[in-house]
Amino acid sequence: MIRTGAMVALLLVLINTISCQTDVEIKRQRYITEGILIYKTNCANCHQTNGQGLAALYPPLAGSDYLANKNTVICLIRYGQQGPIQVNGKRYNRPMPAQPQLSDLEIAELTTYIYNEWSTETTVTDVKTVTPVLDQCREKVASQ
Amino acid sequence: MLKQSLIPVLTRPASFWALSSRCFLVIGLALAFSSCSSTDDKLPILGQRQAVTKLVDGKPVTDSSYQTIPDFAFVSQYGDTVTAKTLDGKVYVADFFFTSCPTICPKMKVQLKRVYEKFKGNSNVMMLSHTIDPAHDSVPVLKEFADNLGIAGRQWLFVTGDREKIYDIGQNSYMVTAQADSTAPGGVVHSGAFILVDKAKHIRGIYDGTTEAGVDKLMADIDRLLAEYKS
């Protein structure tokens, strides 16, 4: 009797875990799907659909070491980027325009897509993570 | 007599009209196809044409004159003056862009680079990219842009100059649109067209420079145009 109870409990825990994972996976897929569209509309002109960038004009996102600083990436998506930067040891010096029309959620979806597609990451960058980062850099931009 | 010959026609049974209309259709189709094949696979000459009467051997002869690209004077990424004469004896592709353009220009440059790569080293083919933001796109800015795009040599020239003159030649000679619009990203609305110009400075084709399909067509047409000069 006790053994059966334990079995049922274990089973319930298992089911719960699996369905939780599925929820997370569904959310990840949803973010990525939206992210692809946002990327194509707002980023692919310069960075190209395959994320390879364009010669020495626009840096690649695919396999880019610049992705290591995710907070910087989140900020520059909305507020743009000025001055020279180094990507994979190469220098790029062309301003990136700000994208103030993108909402926090859209930036979260875009970030999720970029990191899932072109880095080793396989998790969602949730809007709850993105919002405080964006708030922080808005203050930084405002104080400049 | 005339009346007599007409009346029988009018009183012919309906089946005749059905038959003859079918005949006309066949003849019409044959004519349509023969007129297509008689173009000799040459590209059309685009733009406005005017009837021009000239005196040949003392006699007035009327001929049609096609729109041509007039002379101009702009400055290239190397700082030297580029005129219509620079492009004498060349088939060339013209376009309008600006270096800080976030919208269609990068797409156009990716596509024009394909054309450049395909015809690289072919002394009959050139590319001429006009900036429509000369206030920002100075000679050094254009040089850096060309370098960064991986363009060397003089086959692909990036030119700047007097803003009014660039807009004027764009709208009136190359038949593309370009105008300042503060609501557009980058501040300028402009066309993503590539214009193919032949050695006589006639426009032979206008292509969508933002799509791969449009530029595939352009490259095929450049080959066709070059073939005209071989025969």
Side-chain angles (χ1 to χ4, degrees), chain B residues 29 38 46 146 168 192 217:
Chain B
L29 279 175
S38 71
L46 305 180
D168 179 61
K217 173 90 167 56

Side-chain angles (χ1 to χ4, degrees), chain A residues 45-46 48 54-58 93-94 97, chain B residues 99 102-104 106-107 110 144-145 148-149:
Chain A
N45 276 350
C46 293
Q48 308 303 312
L54 176 55
L57 284 174
Y58 313 114
N93 187 14
R94 211 154 274 284
Chain B
T99 61
T103 53
I104 58 175
K107 277 188 189 171
V110 170
E144 192 192 2
F145 186 86
N148 287 348
L149 190 59

